[in-house]
Amino acid sequence: MQEEKGIIQSNEKIAKDTYRMKIAAGMAKDMKPGQFVNIKIDGYMLRRPISISSIEADGFVIVYKVVGDGTLALAKKHAHHTIDVFGPLGSSYPIHENRNEVLLIGGGVGVPPLYELAKQYRVLRKEVHVVLGFNDKDSIFYEQEFKALGCHVVVATMDGSYGVKGTVMDAIQAHAITCDFTYSCGPRPMLKAIEAAYQKGYMSFESRMACGIGACMACVAKDKKEADLYHRICKEGPVFPIGKVEF
Amino acid sequence: MQEEKGIIQSNEKIAKDTYRMKIAAGMAKDMKPGQFVNIKIDGYMLRRPISISSIEADGFVIVYKVVGDGTLALAKKHAHHTIDVFGPLGSSYPIHENRNEVLLIGGGVGVPPLYELAKQYRVLRKEVHVVLGFNDKDSIFYEQEFKALGCHVVVATMDGSYGVKGTVMDAIQAHAITCDFTYSCGPRPMLKAIEAAYQKGYMSFESRMACGIGACMACVAKDKKEADLYHRICKEGPVFPIGKVEF
Amino acid sequence: MDLHVKLPGLNLKNPIIPASGCFGFGREFAELYDLSLLGGIAIKSATPQKRFGNPTPRVAETPSGMLNAIGLQNPGVDVILEKELPWLAQFDTEIIANVAGASEEEYVEVIEKLNASQVVKAYELNISCPNVKHGGIGLGTTPELAAKVTKMAKAAANKPVYVKLSPNVTNIVEIAKAVEEAGADGLVMINTMMGMRLDLHTGKPILANVTGGLSGPAIKPVAIRMVYQVAQAVNIPIIGVGGITRAEDVLEFLYAGASAVEVGMQNFIDPYCCVKIIEELPKVLETYGVNSLQEAVGRSFK
Amino acid sequence: MDLHVKLPGLNLKNPIIPASGCFGFGREFAELYDLSLLGGIAIKSATPQKRFGNPTPRVAETPSGMLNAIGLQNPGVDVILEKELPWLAQFDTEIIANVAGASEEEYVEVIEKLNASQVVKAYELNISCPNVKHGGIGLGTTPELAAKVTKMAKAAANKPVYVKLSPNVTNIVEIAKAVEEAGADGLVMINTMMGMRLDLHTGKPILANVTGGLSGPAIKPVAIRMVYQVAQAVNIPIIGVGGITRAEDVLEFLYAGASAVEVGMQNFIDPYCCVKIIEELPKVLETYGVNSLQEAVGRSFK
Ligand SMILES: Cc1cc2nc3c(=O)[nH]c(=O)nc-3n(C[C@H](O)[C@H](O)[C@H](O)COP(=O)(O)OP(=O)(O)OC[C@H]3O[C@@H](n4cnc5c(N)ncnc54)[C@H](O)[C@@H]3O)c2cc1C
Ligand SMILES: Cc1cc2nc3c(=O)[nH]c(=O)nc-3n(C[C@H](O)[C@H](O)[C@H](O)COP(=O)(O)OP(=O)(O)OC[C@H]3O[C@@H](n4cnc5c(N)ncnc54)[C@H](O)[C@@H]3O)c2cc1C
Ligand SMILES: Cc1cc2nc3c(=O)[nH]c(=O)nc-3n(C[C@H](O)[C@H](O)[C@H](O)COP(=O)(O)O)c2cc1C
Ligand SMILES: Cc1cc2nc3c(=O)[nH]c(=O)nc-3n(C[C@H](O)[C@H](O)[C@H](O)COP(=O)(O)O)c2cc1C
Ligand code: FES
Ligand code: FES
């Protein structure tokens, strides 16, 4: 966990409203899949939390969607400029070396953190099933990248413009994927459906944050079982065992 | 008077804390010497008023001193980037075609607007005496530029590190400059001294501004004679006949 | 989309009104665009006599805002009646006369004179100014004083009276209700918040007047909160003001419960802002799936 | 330059104190730097029982500021005594315990328990929180209530009591004086200003709690104004807070009349900000020709 002025190496549009930025930064050596960085954007007060999508020798990659003023400003950043990143932050997806196959389920901008996870499982030569859900064909990204890693990739679109029409759950059914150890990240309804269907694995959550390091209590979520227990999404999370937190 | 995104052509340091910026902008064709532009600087609310120092075919030049956050940000701007300027604003130095010689007196960042004035008088082939006052040798700028126009240039520094030691008044005395039709711009004490010594000519003033166009009444100065009369520095000014306003 | 808004005395072709003190009497902006594009114009506060206001410096910059201590400089109601209002008559827009004074009687005096004008469509009482009779506190800081000046103004006025509330109070709802009960036809909220800046070199206040009024985006969250609270407590319309820089901000004020808005200091930053906002507003409403202004008003609590 | 400041109960090696609620109990920041560098630490508000606070979202961004509605989440005074304070004892810095409650009695309860701690050097009463007994209004909004809780706290406390004032009032001087008269050893000002933001998509408040507290540079001009007014009216020291992001801001608060400062939300933007400010402060004082902190305090009105 440190503040660093990373150097933007590239910042390109890869799908509708979706950008990929490569950042050269020393903190990459401490990063684990599922963690995030907190990015300061000129003109805006609060840092923006963005998942680490890929960890490389000299830096890391983020994939982000333009949803508001901050991400719009980020999309306008040019290569060679510096960017103020704080990280790596939060918990990571644990790697279970004893498993032979895992199922990664991502929806929209929940897809990015799963990419590094897939990479690490593929290095261990495990079977990696990847199910990606998007709104429409134009929003799809990383299908080829996951395939290039040697994952089994299935895509669903809500409007049916590509792959299975419907949700990631529809795609899992359509392709009769039976692996029951899941890692997921995506919008709330998707996570709800996954929680109802699977008992094993991990989930990653979002929350409005201020500090991103566990000090302000902005981002808490209740424990599902212990009435009195709260977890900080930024510190104990964003990755939790499936069924751990109320959302 | 218009808002325009000018293109920065160059932005270079020319003396201690002092920068010259060339801006390409169509509004240049409407500019007169002594007028100013109001510049929007990213991250700061109020526009910054800066005098027009030189008017060219395709743009204009400003010379500014870094005194606070806004001018510091301005100094960091790069060529080819755009800059949001509003102008030209305010009154200008009237050109008296019937006069054969004029005396231009500038102190510190009061020097810039006199440059365009000198240019225009030299086009008319008039004798132009220029007296420039600075704190020290490192702060001096535009001595050569005025000389290149064919002006008679005298420099004073407060610490005596260059030219006459003392104020512009000391320099005028030392060089026995007798021309009594003055145009001046500079710090308050300098203007006070000039007002005490000369009756003819024009003076240019500064004031904290908000709108820069005469609407908010932030920048008013009392008339010296009529008790009930106020003038807006941004609209009736910044140039006034000598002895017109209370300051 | 239809941007028309009908409020007591005001037939606004759109809900955008430059705020008092930030637009003078419109002359400077008329050099930039046609004032008939505006929903209305709230002209600079008028007092019985000519006022020169405070010594300079009168403004200072702050993070996302500014401080001003102009001190109600204006040519006095007679000159406004003679010179400014007839000039404004040429524009097809609704003129709101902002009224100020050092005592309740001065408000009445100004209103009685302005009653004669056909150009003025409504009054807006600026009750934030320090009141001489009451030890210099603002009439807007207690429900009793606010109600009293409202009642007196209503009795004198032949046009609807809006009261512009001061945010520098513990309980804005209490004051809004008192003003409504006293007969106000509408509310304008908010005026500036009292603030201050010190010069790092001298340690002294930057403003010659020591304190000044804070405006701009910095105060928008406070303005939205107050409009939201008051809109649920009163039955008269609210004109929202405080920190508006773009059409999205207008929508936020509508959601909070405002029926129209005034735009203040943004006119200094971008003199064309009001026309730009008017142009953008239909697009922004569409982006957020809002079919009419009416539909948006008060959505936050409905 | 000597940055040492002596205040009732507090021997600060420098005037920089992270503000309550913006630093937790220091654990997260201890991973980043040595907390012994700090003048002091104002820990998160303590209540008698564990509190979970408000539903999320609890924060929203605003121009030059943010809104928060954490709702005083804290583990309760007993856990703080058992776990947090002994951990904090390892650092050479002054711990200020911020105390909150839903009634006057709860403040007393917390204080009576904390009296046993050697680690706590002073109390800071957070009187901005809505008070259950008094219909949900803050104890900090009337002079009577503010004085009462101060008196009760002083009677219970075996360490100096600072009162942290709410800025959401008509007359801050009146409240400061009441609190001084009730025995307060010092003041902390200001807490957050009540504000709100609406979601453009839904029209509903972004914060689950509807309203929240505005902090950050946006409120600095209001904080400076209030410190300036109060410093001239009371004889107890003031700890300034509101919008500090750099050493220059600290100097502005000193000029206004504060003897030390607290830094709030900037800790979220730049977690190292407090140490950076401590490092920069002597240079900034030098730049502006200030030879000692004492010399700067209150210069604006001296
Ligand atoms: C742990 C974590 C990881 C994330 N990873 C990614 C990612 O890899 N790619 C991606 O595109 N997005 C990701 N997000 C969401 C991303 O943080 C928001 O989309 C972004 O902050 C929006 O900023 P804005 O300025 O464009 O939006 P605005 O609405 O203008 O932002 C205003 C404020 O709200 C906050 N905010 C708005 N939406 C969200 C949100 N969904 N989650 C949290 N805060 C929000 C902003 O951070 C900011 O403080 C992640 C969020 C979290 C918490
Ligand atoms: C008509 C006019 C012409 C000017 N021409 C020049 C010029 O050619 N070259 C030059 O270097 N300077 C000139 N100035 C002064 C220049 O405007 C200020 O130095 C500049 O605004 C400072 O901005 P800042 O952000 O660096 O300082 P800050 O102190 O951070 O500024 C804060 C606020 O105070 C205002 N302010 C601060 N100092 C002044 C000042 N001296 N006059 C007016 N407003 C001030 C700023 O505009 C801003 O609103 C001129 C001023 C006026 C009114
Ligand atoms: C320079 C200036 C002058 C103002 N003069 C007046 C005035 O004369 N009467 C009044 O009621 N409000 C006056 N105001 C307050 C504005 O009308 C408005 O309520 C306030 O600025 C908040 O809006 P904003 O944030 O959009 O600027 C003035 C504001 C500024 C910035
Ligand atoms: C997330 C957050 C939580 C806060 N929690 C508390 C609190 O528990 N008790 C308290 O007295 N003040 C609390 N405050 C107020 C701060 O201590 C401080 O008074 C305020 O934020 C203004 O300072 P700033 O502008 O530097 O942030 C909180 C502020 C924030 C932003
Ligand atoms: S964002 Fe501050 S605790 Fe999680
Ligand atoms: S700056 Fe507004 S009238 Fe001159």
Side-chain angles (χ1 to χ4, degrees), chain B residues 10-241:
Chain B
S10 65
N11 188 21
E12 27 155 25
K13 191 168 178 175
I14 58 171
K16 186 165 76 181
D17 297 332
T18 310
Y19 293 75
R20 171 171 52 196
M21 184 185 279
K22 289 200 188 195
I23 301 169
M27 67 171 71
K29 66 176 189 320
D30 303 321
M31 290 178 166
K32 295 195 208 101
Q35 288 189 297
F36 67 100
V37 292
N38 225 350
I39 301 183
K40 174 85 181 101
I41 300 169
D42 280 350
Y44 298 90
M45 291 300 291
L46 296 178
R47 288 176 179 267
R48 266 50 177 179
I50 303 284
S51 299
I52 296 157
S53 179
S54 178
I55 308 170
E56 328 227 303
D58 58 341
F60 62 99
V61 174
I62 58 173
V63 174
Y64 60 93
K65 190 168 170 182
V66 172
V67 298
D69 294 332
T71 44
L72 185 64
L74 203 57
K76 290 183 182 151
K77 285 268 196 180
H78 294 288
H80 311 305
H81 285 199
T82 59
I83 182 162
D84 179 346
V85 282
F86 193 83
L89 298 170
S91 62
S92 60
Y93 293 122
I95 306 281
H96 288 234
E97 306 214 0
N98 58 333
R99 298 212 164 259
N100 285 323
E101 55 169 11
V102 292
L103 171 54
L104 278 44
I105 314 171
V109 287
V111 170
L114 300 176
Y115 180 73
E116 177 63 28
L117 180 66
K119 254 170 67 187
Q120 301 206 1
Y121 267 115
R122 287 300 297 150
V123 168
L124 299 172
R125 303 180 147 269
K126 309 291 183 180
E127 292 275 289
V128 180
H129 303 273
V130 176
V131 180
L132 307 177
F134 297 97
N135 281 329
D136 50 38
K137 193 173 176 219
D138 293 345
S139 302
I140 298 172
F141 61 88
Y142 270 27
E143 183 189 11
Q144 297 314 321
E145 281 80 352
F146 279 105
K147 281 189 176 154
L149 292 177
C151 305
H152 310 291
V153 185
V154 168
V155 175
T157 54
M158 292 304 289
D159 69 351
S161 50
Y162 187 90
V164 177
K165 180 175 159 75
T167 66
V168 289
M169 299 311 286
D170 296 325
I172 289 170
Q173 228 168 10
H175 286 262
I177 301 172
T178 55
C179 173
D180 67 350
F181 196 81
T182 63
Y183 292 88
S184 54
C185 185
R188 200 166 165 276
M190 184 193 104
L191 297 181
K192 282 273 175 209
I194 293 170
E195 200 189 40
Y198 296 97
Q199 284 76 48
K200 286 180 282 182
Y202 299 89
M203 258 183 196
S204 179
F205 296 90
E206 286 188 3
S207 178
R208 297 243 171 186
M209 296 182 174
C211 72
I213 60 173
C216 75
M217 302 295 146
C219 66
V220 296
K222 280 194 185 168
D223 190 87
K224 235 188 164 101
K225 306 207 184 80
E226 270 185 73
D228 263 15
L229 195 61
Y230 265 57
H231 306 287
R232 294 165 295 184
I233 303 282
C234 73
K235 187 83 178 176
E236 286 82 43
V239 176
F240 292 96

Side-chain angles (χ1 to χ4, degrees), chain C residues 19-21 44-45 68 98 126 164 190-191 215-216 241-243 264-265:
Chain C
S20 179
K44 177 75 190 168
S45 282
N68 90 80
N98 184 299
N126 172 3
K164 185 167 179 185
I190 57 175
N191 214 313
S215 58
V241 50
M265 74 163 289

